[in-house]
Amino acid sequence: MEPHSFKKVIIGLIFSMTLLPSSSSSSAPCNFPAIFNFGDSNSDTGGLSAAFGQAPAPNGETYFHAPAAESFGLPYLSAYLDSVGLNFSHGANFATAGSTIRRQNTTIFQSGASPISLDVQLVQFSEFHTRSKIISKQGVFHKLLPKEDYFSKALYTFDIGQNDLTAGYKLNLTTEQIKAYVPDVLLQLSEAVKRLYDQGGRTFWIHNTGPVGCLPYVLDRFLTSATQLDKYGCGSPFNEVAQYFNQRLKDVVIQLRKQLPLAAITYVDVYSVKYTLISQAKKLGFELPLIACCGHGGKYNFNNSLRCGGKITVKGKEILIAKSCGNPSVRVNWDGIHFTEAANRWIFQQIASGSFSDPPLPLKMACHLSKDGAMNKFR
């Protein structure tokens, strides 16, 4: 996703997953004393804004507040790059808006791609892990950093890859050309999981990528023909690439389970959840799923040159043009790129139960190894 970090907006649902009650029984809920997240703007809680500045108002008018985290007593997950007044005792968030799995041969100012690609996030984690051992022994810092055993008991979450696909469209690549580089992208994701495993990580929660062809941003910028739309108005070629990415990601997870026998790896079918929300929006209490709540102009209320919070100057005075809609709580898409707080809350409710996961275990049981193989449900 584009690098507009929503530090105080619903940047995703990963941190709604910061659960959980502890137990040592193999059939009881897991003990996740910490969470370490790797991703893009779907789960950025302030990383990119700490480096490049915060998004303008009205971004932040609704704030997800990670309700599940609060319900189970864990604090909001702090962005690793944010240096002011933070507490990393229960983990850290290495995600930044615009991040990709594979490094992009461009700059954030040219294409919107974050310089903090997944390999950089892994370097940051390694530094954090190493320095935590040293600094936690100094003065009051032990209260602000994870205990050493937290790293092996933690939940490691991934929500990244979507920007790797849209990067190809920005280069005017065809669907087949983008598919051709997906295996290399996923190889790098696989290596990242292995590196975390080598450093003690044992529980991994991996989201597949969503239906990018249903984003106003993609529909406005890249769609070339009405014949590319499916019956719900989403761009079929773009969703085809996302589904291809997800199928290959399943294969990668299968291999990782064989290669990392002590790891509990959950594959989460976020694509199906989001597509269900978009295709059945009215039935679920939402409206206008393909139109941005906050934006200005065009069929999808999205203008890449005047995004949410965008202003124009008239007679020396700035005027806010790209405003929020009247009721974000019934809208699916916030700014053409990200989902609204209400949509993310609904999405979380669907995936937390394990109904869209493989193995089909609720998040609070994600530390348990699968006994019956996996990846059967979505085959």
Side-chain angles (χ1 to χ4, degrees):
M1 291 193 172
E2 295 290 295
H4 283 65
S5 177
F6 288 70
K7 185 174 181 180
K8 294 184 178 179
V9 186
I10 350 122
I11 313 251
L13 38 119
I14 292 255
F15 306 108
S16 313
M17 302 171 184
T18 52
L19 309 175
L20 298 159
S22 63
S23 173
S24 58
S25 171
S26 61
S27 60
C30 307
N31 176 17
F32 294 131
I35 292 178
F36 298 103
N37 181 69
F38 306 87
D40 53 30
S41 63
N42 284 315
S43 55
D44 180 356
T45 53
L48 202 74
S49 66
F52 294 97
Q54 295 188 19
N59 293 307
E61 70 173 23
T62 57
Y63 181 23
F64 194 35
H65 280 302
E70 295 171 350
S71 297
F72 288 92
L74 290 187
Y76 187 65
L77 202 62
S78 297
Y80 174 77
L81 291 176
D82 201 344
S83 60
V84 181
L86 299 182
N87 185 337
F88 295 106
S89 60
H90 292 281
N93 185 10
F94 300 91
T96 66
S99 286
T100 53
I101 295 173
R102 192 167 68 164
R103 288 188 189 181
Q104 301 299 302
N105 187 27
T106 183
T107 72
I108 190 171
F109 304 105
Q110 293 171 311
S111 67
S114 169
I116 316 298
S117 51
L118 183 58
D119 60 327
V120 177
Q121 294 180 30
L122 264 291
V123 170
Q124 292 174 339
F125 170 81
S126 296
E127 285 293 304
F128 179 81
H129 190 182
T130 300
R131 295 174 66 189
S132 291
K133 297 177 183 179
I134 301 172
I135 298 175
S136 63
K137 300 176 183 178
Q138 302 175 8
V140 299
F141 292 111
H142 70 280
K143 297 180 180 180
L144 302 176
L145 295 167
K147 296 178 181 179
E148 176 55 30
D149 64 337
Y150 282 13
F151 288 91
S152 60
K153 296 177 180 178
L155 177 66
Y156 291 82
T157 57
F158 289 84
D159 193 330
I160 192 168
Q162 182 169 305
N163 293 322
D164 291 270
L165 304 183
T166 57
Y169 295 118
K170 292 177 182 179
L171 295 173
N172 296 317
L173 299 184
T174 67
T175 294
E176 293 307 314
Q177 287 174 317
I178 295 174
K179 285 183 177 180
Y181 67 67
V182 164
D184 180 62
V185 171
L186 292 176
L187 175 62
Q188 295 189 38
L189 176 61
S190 176
E191 291 302 313
V193 174
K194 291 177 184 178
R195 286 176 60 184
L196 292 171
Y197 182 86
D198 289 343
Q199 295 187 60
R202 290 296 180 265
T203 304
F204 302 91
W205 179 270
I206 302 175
H207 287 191
N208 68 12
T209 199
V212 294
C214 300
L215 297 176
Y217 157 73
V218 171
L219 291 168
D220 178 81
R221 288 193 64 182
F222 305 121
L223 192 64
T224 59
S225 171
T227 60
Q228 294 177 310
L229 298 176
D230 66 16
K231 63 181 179 179
Y232 300 110
C234 298
S236 296
F238 311 109
N239 283 348
E240 177 188 334
V241 170
Q243 290 172 316
Y244 176 76
F245 176 96
N246 293 341
Q247 183 59 57
R248 296 302 297 263
L249 176 60
K250 294 178 192 177
D251 296 336
V252 166
V253 170
I254 290 173
Q255 292 304 312
L256 283 171
R257 287 186 178 131
K258 295 176 181 178
Q259 296 166 355
L260 311 177
L262 300 181
I265 307 175
T266 301
Y267 171 92
V268 186
D269 187 16
V270 173
Y271 182 101
S272 292
V273 180
K274 290 183 175 180
Y275 193 76
T276 296
L277 174 58
I278 291 165
S279 61
Q280 301 180 30
K282 186 175 182 179
K283 178 181 177 181
L284 297 169
F286 291 85
E287 59 186 39
L288 304 174
L290 302 182
I291 298 178
C293 169
C294 183
H296 176 73
K299 181 178 179 180
Y300 303 103
N301 196 35
F302 178 85
N303 183 333
N304 195 48
S305 300
L306 198 65
R307 295 187 180 186
C308 180
K311 301 176 181 179
I312 62 172
T313 301
V314 178
K315 296 182 180 180
K317 182 179 180 180
E318 283 193 334
I319 300 175
L320 177 64
I321 295 296
K323 302 177 181 179
S324 170
C325 59
N327 188 5
S329 67
V330 296
R331 300 294 286 274
V332 172
N333 191 282
W334 168 244
D335 61 349
I337 303 170
H338 307 93
F339 284 69
T340 62
E341 171 186 355
N344 274 326
R345 187 182 298 275
W346 184 88
I347 292 167
F348 167 67
Q349 291 169 349
Q350 311 314 306
I351 66 174
S353 67
S355 298
F356 290 86
S357 297
D358 195 304
L361 298 174
L363 177 58
K364 63 184 180 180
M365 306 296 286
C367 64
H368 300 301
L369 294 173
S370 173
K371 297 179 181 179
D372 56 356
M375 308 315 296
N376 295 318
K377 179 177 180 181
F378 303 118
R379 287 282 181 187

